[in-house]
Amino acid sequence: MSDDRRLDVLRAIVEDYVATQEPVGSRSLLDRHQLGVSPATIRNDMAALEDEGYIMQPHTSAGRIPTDKGYRMFVDRLATVKALSPAERRAIETFLTGAVDVDDVVQRSVRVLAQLTNQVAIVQYPSLTRSTVRHIEVVALEGARVLLVVITSSGRVEQRIIELVETPNEQLVSDVRSRITQATVGQRLPEASLRLADMIETFAPNDRPIVTSIVTTLSQTFTNERSDERIAVGGTANLVRFGSDFDTAIKPVLEAIEEQVVLLKLLGEATGGLTVRIGSETGHESLSSTAVVSSAYGLDDQALATLGTVGPTRMDYPATMAAVGAVARYVGRMLADN
Amino acid sequence: MSDDRRLDVLRAIVEDYVATQEPVGSRSLLDRHQLGVSPATIRNDMAALEDEGYIMQPHTSAGRIPTDKGYRMFVDRLATVKALSPAERRAIETFLTGAVDVDDVVQRSVRVLAQLTNQVAIVQYPSLTRSTVRHIEVVALEGARVLLVVITSSGRVEQRIIELVETPNEQLVSDVRSRITQATVGQRLPEASLRLADMIETFAPNDRPIVTSIVTTLSQTFTNERSDERIAVGGTANLVRFGSDFDTAIKPVLEAIEEQVVLLKLLGEATGGLTVRIGSETGHESLSSTAVVSSAYGLDDQALATLGTVGPTRMDYPATMAAVGAVARYVGRMLADN
DNA sequence: GACTGGCACTTGACCAGGGAGAGTGCCAGC
DNA sequence: GCTGGCACTCTCCCTGGTCAAGTGCCAGTC
């Protein structure tokens, strides 16, 4: 028995099942693929593949469907990378170009990714903790109000308005601004936060109440977990295509979307480049019939955050992987250009 | 035949149907309500109500279900306002308190509204065009880059970074800042935008290229439709409860969520206070089995934007209306306190 | 005139039974 | 090692019959 042909059979099963959503039998498999052998031979191969755990029968005398292990094998060794069509590339490009700020980039990429893959797309906002401080501004507003603005290397702008105990004089504001700038620009946010803490005592005791509230607010902004955890989700309408089984396929995903924590964990666990997690590999029991394709994105070598799609294990992996990879690259480039 | 009792019957039908999701017949209706008459009498009333279009039979010899017109009558004349429980009030309050900025307020209110109503919640971000300019800042960054910050009366902060053709000198920046401030603070954004346009010519010809790009960017920000159209959606997992009929109940709502334009229209059409639109009243054929409960929110008398829920026509109107109203009031108050 | 009890009628929901079709496993033969 | 053939096993789908819920209507009562 040829080992190669057996893998061809597995590939054919995955492709057919993805296309038709129905268990594939030996005859219909031969209708769609030229394998040069008879159904009986295929049946033998199938039996062997089933022994090894790559495929299974939903019930005796139905066709076979791939197991998670089968999909894994397909993704690792059998799938030929499907390049994006020029039209798709252009779609990404035109869709992302013209974004006015980081929020806009994220929201546009969610949409384009959902549209390309026909799945649920999730994009994590660029991580604050992994970027550096590019600019800091302290502006006195009317009364004792002060506007603090932080611009990070990824182009993200965070601002906060605080009310001080008393109105600061112009001199102090400008002094604080320049010394904070001095201490933090170029630093990674967590380190910048530490530096700030050391700074308070270098001011005159009189000024400390004001300086302290400015510095602690900034510090909070630097280490703000909320911003670090923000994600955008799109393409929920595509859930409709996940197949008919509402309870096992659609409901868990809706719940995961609601529980953003779960999504963040899903994205966060992806180590680096293009990652595919199938069924139980997601680490969430309720997502057992779901697969996550994700990729880190960032500037050059430095990963800023992760984006990806959630879909049924029965998905077109080559196409999805190509789309996720391409969008990740484009987004990285957008942020680099700023 | 007593007109009052007929309306009681209608109310009972709506309440039972909302509770059980099943067509309600004359006998089971009497099991749950003390109406003091026999089933046969109820049947006569039902027949009359059906003639008038308030209820209908899904098929001969099933119980009755309310029509849109029946729900409308219920909402307008039969529903007794259900006050929120103290626990619910507290939930809203604790959930919304502690929001750090406007974005946060919006996101938290979506969550709390979804949780209270068990429906899909949508909250429109405070409209830019309906607020006034509170503060404007122009800050020179490194090189020829300039940071523009606009703070609106609703506490929203919009910022934009632009690259000028040449590095502006300090004097010019501060001049531009003060004259823009002079011209726009206190104005509504659309008017502020007009004022800016008139300003360019008051600068020396040499400075105009720089001033022009600053002013046009600000002007764009003032009239930025994207921000005006932003909405947050939450509680999609509650779609699960909409009932079993995927195609008519769940799919259209998912699609509407995706098409934010539709949602915006839904919210935008609400005239003022608490509005309920039932089935075809939404103006969208695909939402014929859906009802929208919405309310404008704002500071004092001035409406800033709209929030609401989307749910099945078969929903608990009194509870939903109470929740939407309460959240709208709290959000308004939060923004007023800033 | 309004309400009630009774009765015949309609109809979807819920089985049970019986093909039909798809697919399998296995075996003997090439 | 591959193939054709055959018996076997399921699910799917259709049919028919029973059941319960609910209705409409009519004659009778207060």
Side-chain angles (χ1 to χ4, degrees), chain B residues 1 5 37-38 41 43 59-61:
Chain B
M1 187 188 304
R5 194 194 54 228
V37 292
S38 81
T41 310
R43 282 204 282 283
H59 46 259
T60 332
S61 114

Side-chain angles (χ1 to χ4, degrees), chain A residues 124-129 156-160 189 220-231 264 305, chain B residues 100-101 104 107:
Chain A
Q124 194 179 6
Y125 280 71
S127 162
L128 278 182
T129 58
R156 191 164 175 76
V157 183
E158 285 282 316
Q159 82 284 312
R160 204 73 15 121
L189 299 201
Q220 273 168 24
T221 310
F222 288 171
T223 55
N224 185 345
E225 297 196 357
R226 190 177 71 82
S227 306
D228 229 33
E229 282 178 353
R230 283 184 66 197
I231 47 182
L264 278 164
Chain B
V100 296
D101 58 19
D104 209 12
Q107 272 162 38

Side-chain angles (χ1 to χ4, degrees), chain A residues 250-260 262 286, chain B residues 236-237 240:
Chain A
I250 299 181
K251 194 173 153 190
V253 178
L254 277 176
E255 277 163 0
I257 291 172
E258 211 60 20
E259 277 293 327
Q260 309 222 331
V262 173
S286 60
Chain B
T236 38
V240 175

Side-chain angles (χ1 to χ4, degrees), chain A residues 84-325:
Chain A
L84 288 188
S85 73
E88 288 170 321
R89 298 199 164 278
R90 236 176 304 124
I92 300 179
E93 214 164 330
T94 53
F95 217 85
L96 291 188
T97 326
V100 296
D101 58 20
V102 179
D103 276 31
D104 207 12
V105 171
V106 168
Q107 273 163 37
R108 283 166 189 246
S109 26
V110 159
R111 294 201 74 147
V112 77
L113 193 54
Q115 214 150 45
L116 283 177
T117 60
N118 275 327
Q119 293 180 33
V120 176
I122 38 186
V123 178
Q124 194 179 6
Y125 280 71
S127 162
L128 278 182
T129 58
R130 283 184 251 172
S131 28
T132 59
V133 178
R134 194 166 80 196
H135 188 89
I136 284 198
E137 199 56 51
V138 182
V139 181
L141 303 181
E142 80 284 354
R145 289 199 164 162
V146 171
L147 166 68
L148 305 174
V149 181
V150 180
I151 307 177
T152 70
S153 57
S154 61
R156 191 164 175 76
V157 183
E158 285 282 316
Q159 82 284 312
R160 204 73 15 121
I161 299 173
I162 56 171
E163 182 116 25
L164 300 176
V165 285
E166 56 176 319
T167 307
N169 67 52
E170 192 123 342
Q171 177 57 41
L172 178 59
V173 169
S174 115
D175 194 25
V176 169
R177 180 194 303 128
S178 67
R179 281 161 80 176
I180 290 181
T181 299
Q182 173 93 48
T184 59
V185 165
Q187 304 288 322
R188 299 200 153 215
L189 299 201
E191 291 145 31
S193 179
L194 296 178
R195 296 251 190 149
L196 283 180
D198 298 339
M199 240 181 80
I200 299 175
E201 289 168 14
T202 65
F203 282 86
N206 270 351
D207 296 335
R208 286 200 196 150
I210 288 179
V211 174
T212 306
S213 37
I214 292 177
V215 161
T216 51
T217 306
L218 276 179
S219 205
Q220 273 168 24
T221 310
F222 288 171
T223 55
N224 185 345
E225 297 196 357
R226 190 177 71 82
S227 306
D228 229 33
E229 282 178 353
R230 283 184 66 197
I231 47 182
V233 180
T236 36
N238 294 327
L239 281 170
V240 175
R241 301 176 217 244
F242 275 29
S244 42
D245 198 345
F246 195 89
D247 280 344
T248 66
I250 299 181
K251 194 173 153 190
V253 178
L254 277 176
E255 277 163 0
I257 291 172
E258 211 60 20
E259 277 293 327
Q260 309 222 331
V261 188
V262 173
L263 286 190
L264 278 164
K265 268 176 71 183
L266 276 182
L267 289 184
E269 283 157 2
T271 46
L274 204 54
T275 310
V276 178
R277 267 154 311 152
I278 299 163
S280 57
E281 296 171 8
T282 58
H284 294 271
E285 203 173 336
S286 60
L287 298 180
S288 59
S289 57
T290 312
V292 179
V293 177
S294 60
S295 168
Y297 68 87
L299 323 161
D300 310 325
D301 52 335
Q302 184 196 6
L304 276 179
T306 309
L307 56 76
T309 67
V310 179
T313 48
R314 172 191 41 67
M315 73 162 76
D316 184 347
Y317 288 96
T320 306
M321 291 166 71
V324 169

